[in-house]
Amino acid sequence: MQSNVPDFRTLLRETTKSAVHLEMRDQYSVSDEADQFAAWKAGHRYSPDNRAEWWHPFHDFVVETIARGVTIRRARIVSEPVTEYIRYEHSHTFTNLAAGEQIRWLPRSRALDIALPGADFWLFDSRIVRFNLFTGDGEWADPRNVMTEQQATVELCTNAFEAVWERAVPHEDFEV
């Protein structure tokens, strides 16, 4: 496994077919979204009609990637009842969908018999896994990302993601 990992944009830019992302935490506390989460807790909600408020360069990058023929899917395994953070995340998932991602949610109780890796990950073209490591409090760990092309790990992540995706509920049908 490599700890000197290319950044996410480089890996996605080199992707030709698919990128999948599995998220398994009920709480993330990364500093780059602390202000947004605090505003959401105070009652602020993004309006789908006010794209200027929530559209970011990341969304443009996703649109460009999908225009090249790459499929981007994201699955989230969550505990129920969901945490306040998951309600926040669910409330603005429409922004990812607007950019072209496909997103599904799976209650943790329906994932009990799925072999899952020990951390969230991105899988690029079913050949490169980039793990996202977090502290127990949900902040980025250092090193924050680890990458591998090791076949056994790629297969574990591929099988885990596809099993989750098959059981998961499309975003528009998942209620928090």
Side-chain angles (χ1 to χ4, degrees), residues 4 20 23 30 47-48 55 61 79 100 104 115 120 122 135 137 162 167 172:
N4 185 11
V20 301
E23 298 176 5
V30 292
S47 167
W55 192 265
F61 186 57
S79 299
R104 294 186 181 180
D120 292 6
W122 278 93
T135 66
D137 293 333
E162 293 305 330
R167 293 182 191 182
E172 55 276 5

Side-chain angles (χ1 to χ4, degrees), residues 102-122:
Q102 300 171 41
I103 299 177
R104 294 186 181 180
W105 303 78
L106 182 65
R108 195 170 309 281
S109 62
R110 294 185 53 209
L112 299 177
D113 61 344
I114 298 173
L116 298 168
D120 292 6
F121 65 85
W122 278 93

Side-chain angles (χ1 to χ4, degrees), residues 12-166:
L12 193 56
R13 196 173 288 113
E14 294 172 356
T15 299
T16 60
K17 297 178 196 136
S18 68
V20 301
H21 185 35
L22 184 60
E23 298 176 5
M24 298 182 283
R25 295 182 56 94
D26 288 320
Q27 176 73 38
Y28 296 88
S29 299
V30 292
S31 55
D32 58 335
E33 68 179 22
D35 291 342
Q36 291 174 318
F37 187 36
W40 181 87
K41 289 195 289 187
H44 179 266
R45 300 295 183 268
Y46 288 135
S47 167
D49 297 330
N50 188 0
R51 184 174 159 144
E53 179 185 31
W54 50 263
W55 192 265
H56 296 287
F58 173 77
H59 298 108
D60 289 325
F61 186 57
V62 169
V63 167
E64 292 165 14
T65 301
I66 291 169
R68 289 190 293 108
V70 176
T71 300
I72 300 177
R73 296 183 292 158
R74 181 186 305 247
R76 295 173 171 145
I77 299 174
V78 296
S79 299
E80 291 183 304
V82 299
T83 62
E84 183 176 42
Y85 180 87
I86 294 299
R87 287 194 309 276
Y88 153 74
E89 193 173 51
H90 187 272
S91 77
H92 69 265
T93 292
F94 74 87
T95 67
N96 300 80
L97 295 168
E101 284 189 52
Q102 300 171 41
I103 299 177
R104 294 186 181 180
W105 303 78
L106 182 65
R108 195 170 309 281
S109 62
R110 294 185 53 209
L112 299 177
D113 61 344
I114 298 173
L116 298 168
D120 292 6
F121 65 85
W122 278 93
L123 174 63
F124 302 94
D125 283 338
S126 298
R127 65 178 191 83
I128 298 172
V129 178
R130 180 180 186 242
F131 289 103
N132 295 3
L133 302 178
F134 298 91
T135 66
D137 293 333
E139 183 58 78
W140 287 111
D142 192 24
R144 63 173 63 175
N145 302 299
V146 176
M147 185 178 88
T148 186
E149 295 180 63
Q150 192 175 60
Q151 190 59 38
T153 305
V154 168
E155 286 179 18
L156 169 67
C157 293
T158 298
N159 293 338
F161 184 86
E162 293 305 330
V164 167
W165 189 259
E166 182 178 308

